[in-house]
Structure formats: C-alpha cells, structure tokens
Amino acid sequence: MAEVTSKSRATIPAGRNGKAGVFADVVTFPASAGASYVTGARIRIDGGAINTV
C-alpha cells in the first residue's frame, strides 16, 4: 500500500495528496463573502495533476 501511495504522490506536481480540509475550503468558498463577485468558475482540486485547462 505504501508503494502505491508513494508512486501516486510522485505524479502530483504539488508533491502530496490533498487533505480533506483543502477540499472543504474549495467547496465552501462559493458560499463565502470572498466569492461575492464570482459569477462562475471551474476549479480543479488536483494538486496540478492535470496540466491543461
């Protein structure tokens, strides 16, 4: 299991797996005051694993 995790992590440019809090922050952002001027967006939460837009 550790070998699979290590190989997977090596493919992510951020160099680490995302933690639950990172995903939660992105999910709750649209409902926050900080997003009051956002009218639409696609946000990838993949640590840079997909390098195209």
Side-chain angles (χ1 to χ4, degrees):
M1 179 73 170
E3 183 179 345
V4 172
T5 301
S6 178
K7 286 182 179 181
S8 174
R9 191 177 304 124
T11 67
I12 302 170
R16 59 185 170 80
N17 293 323
K19 295 184 179 179
V22 173
F23 298 99
D25 289 344
V26 176
V27 170
T28 58
F29 171 71
S32 72
S36 66
Y37 205 67
V38 176
T39 57
R42 174 181 280 179
I43 303 170
R44 293 190 188 274
I45 314 170
D46 64 3
I50 298 176
N51 61 6
T52 59
V53 178

